[in-house]
Amino acid sequence: MAAVNVYHTSVTTDNLSRNDILQWINTALEANFIKVEDLCSGSAYCQFMEMMFPGAIGSRSKRVKWNTKLEHEYINNFKVLQEYFKALTVDKIVPVEKLVKGKFQDNFEFVQWFKKFFDANYTAAHDYDPVAARDGQPLGSGGKASAATSGIRAPPAPRPAPPTRAAPAPTRAPPATKPMQQHQQKISPSVHRPVGSSGHHVDSHHGSHSHDNLRLQQEIESLQDIIQQHGAQIAGLEKERDFYYQKLRDVEVICQEPECESLPHTQKILEILYATEDGFAQPDQENGNGELDDANGLTVSSNGNGNGSALVGGEEDTY
């Protein structure tokens, strides 16, 4: 069994509009596709192939996922379509990766070709029930909506009438609240008997304020704990920074010793030590005497070799 191949149909004058395409699919398959993009599931193409070439791939046609919203199941449907094409020697290449993304242009171009392919191969030689073929499952993004808008289910729409019966509920609600109010009025004098009604409101406000104060106090204590933790982390990072700085300083001193200056890699090491990042401004050295960093006890001075600034340590820290 071989199908009639169709070529060069992407740009022709007899292409159908998107509405005509959807009407054709929904009528032929008794489906309810709302947008061309919904054809990205591939299920409609598989059912058209079974309609044109029944039994072409045997039981493998049962692997089609009819009402799915998952991309990996879209890919599964297009694999079934490719099996149809292979069995029927259809030369068309299916751009699965593009179609499953649900983009309009890709799906519109492919369905235009498929309509030409369908017209060239369908003979209507046998009766075909599309709904029974997919075991009554809906097809298309609006499958459930179509059933809800049918003439049979239209009468339940006026059933919003029962909410009018619920209208007496609000009338019953006030009696339910009145006993609560009366109960509160009975309790309030016993609890706040010396103060009166106005005093009762003041005490309730005081209670709410005390509750808010307690909550704020807990938040303050929590924030103070966080500040202490951050302070400890900063102190540890500063200590680690000074430790590694001293290591670099030792390397610099060794590279500046006379017996090491002539070594081939010494100059490269110094260039790495003195390299700066973009936007980094070195300390002002107008007088060439260097400036003292009071925080670290370090001076910045010229090393006389034109390689940048040399860092001269002050007091050494012991770790």
Side-chain angles (χ1 to χ4, degrees):
M1 181 185 297
V4 177
N5 283 287
V6 179
Y7 302 99
H8 305 296
T9 60
S10 59
V11 182
T12 56
T13 58
D14 57 343
N15 282 339
L16 299 179
S17 66
R18 69 175 75 183
N19 293 329
D20 293 336
I21 286 287
L22 293 174
Q23 184 178 2
W24 163 64
I25 295 174
N26 291 332
T27 302
L29 301 181
E30 297 185 29
N32 193 8
F33 286 97
I34 299 176
K35 300 183 296 182
V36 172
E37 294 89 323
D38 297 334
L39 298 173
C40 66
S41 66
S43 55
Y45 301 120
C46 293
Q47 188 159 27
F48 273 126
M49 293 301 295
E50 188 64 22
M51 179 189 296
M52 291 184 287
F53 309 100
I57 60 173
S59 60
R60 288 174 292 178
S61 61
K62 300 296 183 182
R63 297 202 307 250
V64 177
K65 307 296 183 182
W66 299 111
N67 191 23
T68 179
K69 301 294 182 183
L70 303 176
E71 185 172 325
H72 71 275
E73 293 184 345
Y74 297 169
I75 296 174
N76 169 77
N77 291 344
F78 279 108
K79 286 182 178 179
V80 175
L81 179 63
Q82 288 174 325
E83 291 183 15
Y84 276 109
F85 283 7
K86 183 178 180 181
L88 300 168
T89 63
V90 178
D91 297 336
K92 177 69 174 178
I93 297 176
V94 182
V96 179
E97 294 183 358
K98 293 182 179 180
L99 295 177
V100 297
K101 298 302 181 182
K103 300 296 181 62
F104 169 78
Q105 189 62 34
D106 297 325
N107 283 275
F108 189 62
E109 291 178 359
F110 187 78
V111 75
Q112 289 283 2
W113 171 87
F114 192 87
K115 180 61 168 66
K116 302 294 190 308
F117 176 81
F118 179 85
D119 293 341
N121 288 275
Y122 185 61
T123 59
H126 64 284
D127 294 333
Y128 182 79
D129 187 350
V131 178
R134 57 179 185 263
D135 298 328
Q137 297 187 48
L139 184 62
S141 60
K144 297 180 179 179
S146 62
T149 56
S150 63
I152 298 174
R153 299 188 182 181
R159 290 186 183 176
T164 58
R165 298 179 181 178
T171 60
R172 296 177 183 177
T177 56
K178 287 180 180 179
M180 294 296 296
Q181 295 174 356
Q182 294 173 359
H183 181 65
Q184 292 175 355
Q185 292 175 359
K186 291 179 181 179
I187 295 175
S188 58
S190 62
V191 178
H192 304 285
R193 213 174 264 175
V195 182
S197 60
S198 61
H200 170 67
H201 293 293
V202 173
D203 290 341
S204 64
H205 289 305
H206 282 306
S208 62
H209 288 320
S210 62
H211 178 73
D212 293 340
N213 291 338
L214 179 61
R215 179 177 56 81
L216 293 174
Q217 184 64 29
Q218 292 175 350
E219 291 181 1
I220 291 172
E221 292 176 356
S222 176
L223 293 174
Q224 288 177 346
D225 292 340
I226 294 174
I227 291 173
Q228 291 179 357
Q229 293 176 3
H230 289 176
Q233 292 176 356
I234 292 172
L237 292 173
E238 289 177 347
K239 186 176 181 180
E240 185 177 1
R241 176 203 63 190
D242 296 340
F243 173 78
Y244 286 109
Y245 171 81
Q246 187 60 40
K247 295 292 184 183
L248 295 174
R249 174 63 185 139
D250 294 340
V251 172
E252 181 187 28
V253 171
I254 294 173
C255 291
Q256 290 177 345
E257 292 178 356
E259 59 271 17
C260 295
E261 288 181 347
S262 59
L263 295 177
H265 297 296
T266 300
Q267 190 63 27
K268 293 182 178 180
I269 294 174
L270 290 175
E271 290 177 358
I272 293 173
L273 289 176
Y274 299 147
T276 59
E277 295 183 355
D278 295 338
F280 176 78
Q282 293 186 354
D284 187 12
Q285 301 181 21
E286 293 180 356
N287 298 327
N289 297 326
E291 295 181 354
L292 179 63
D293 185 346
D294 295 333
N296 298 319
L298 307 172
T299 59
V300 182
S301 61
S302 175
N303 60 8
N305 296 326
N307 294 325
S309 300
L311 300 178
V312 181
E315 297 181 359
E316 296 184 356
D317 295 334
T318 304
Y319 302 102

